[in-house]
Amino acid sequence: MKILSELCKNANISVPRLSKILSTNSSVLYSRIKRLYKRNLIQKSTIIVNEPLLGINVKAVVGINRDPKLKEEIHIALLKIFQIISISEVTGRFDILVTISATTLEELHNVVIKQIGKIEGVQNTETFVEMQRTEKERIFTT
């Protein structure tokens, strides 16, 4: 669990550096990390992009209610929209929540109204624009 917590902070950390932090032999860490991948506890290492430097300044979550008969078709149509970065089927007030990254509020508006809103079977949407975000470090405990 300590290995997972440290790798969540920095997946690019060297094993020798990690061994110093965890007070564990490097060869032991290599084999434990390999086992974490083998057991599929670690599925991939990734990067975090500084989106504002790319001009991506608007994030939003859009709740969608849909016709249940067109579930698959709506999902396929949503996957084709470039600005949608995740799609989740949920319980509660909405059937689907999508996360959108856009460069401007105007682009967000166009995605919601001109693209999502025109998908056959989408009954209504509600948009929640992110005002501020605080990332919390993941810590795994035993």
Side-chain angles (χ1 to χ4, degrees):
M1 294 299 168
K2 290 179 183 176
I3 294 170
L4 286 175
S5 294
E6 290 300 322
L7 289 175
C8 283
K9 290 180 196 173
N10 180 5
N12 199 34
I13 191 169
S14 69
V15 172
R17 176 85 180 113
L18 185 59
S19 73
K20 286 181 181 146
I21 292 170
L22 298 178
S23 302
T24 306
N25 184 298
S26 290
S27 61
V28 171
L29 273 177
Y30 277 114
S31 64
R32 288 183 182 169
I33 292 169
K34 189 174 180 182
R35 218 174 320 143
L36 290 170
Y37 276 101
K38 217 178 238 184
R39 291 182 179 174
N40 213 23
L41 283 166
I42 298 175
Q43 295 180 328
K44 69 177 180 176
S45 299
T46 188
I47 60 169
I48 298 171
V49 175
N50 187 338
E51 291 183 341
L53 286 178
L54 295 175
I56 301 168
N57 298 305
V58 179
K59 291 253 179 123
V61 174
V62 178
I64 301 170
N65 290 110
R66 61 167 161 73
D67 180 340
K69 295 177 198 137
L70 298 172
K71 173 184 170 182
E72 193 63 35
E73 293 86 342
I74 292 168
H75 190 84
I76 290 167
L78 290 171
L79 285 171
K80 292 178 182 174
I81 299 173
F82 173 77
Q83 294 88 345
I84 293 178
I85 58 174
S86 72
I87 303 169
S88 301
E89 282 193 50
V90 295
T91 60
R93 189 165 111 194
F94 299 105
D95 302 310
I96 303 168
L97 292 177
V98 296
T99 304
I100 297 175
S101 286
T103 55
T104 63
L105 284 172
E106 183 179 355
E107 181 184 9
L108 172 64
H109 174 80
N110 288 333
V111 169
V112 175
I113 302 302
K114 294 181 180 174
Q115 294 182 60
I116 296 173
K118 293 196 176 177
I119 297 172
E120 184 182 352
V122 168
Q123 296 168 335
N124 67 304
T125 65
E126 187 173 343
T127 304
F128 303 90
V129 177
E130 182 178 286
M131 304 291 285
Q132 181 180 351
R133 179 186 209 82
T134 303
E135 294 286 339
K136 185 179 169 197
E137 243 177 47
R138 298 285 313 262
I139 298 175
F140 296 93
T141 59
T142 53

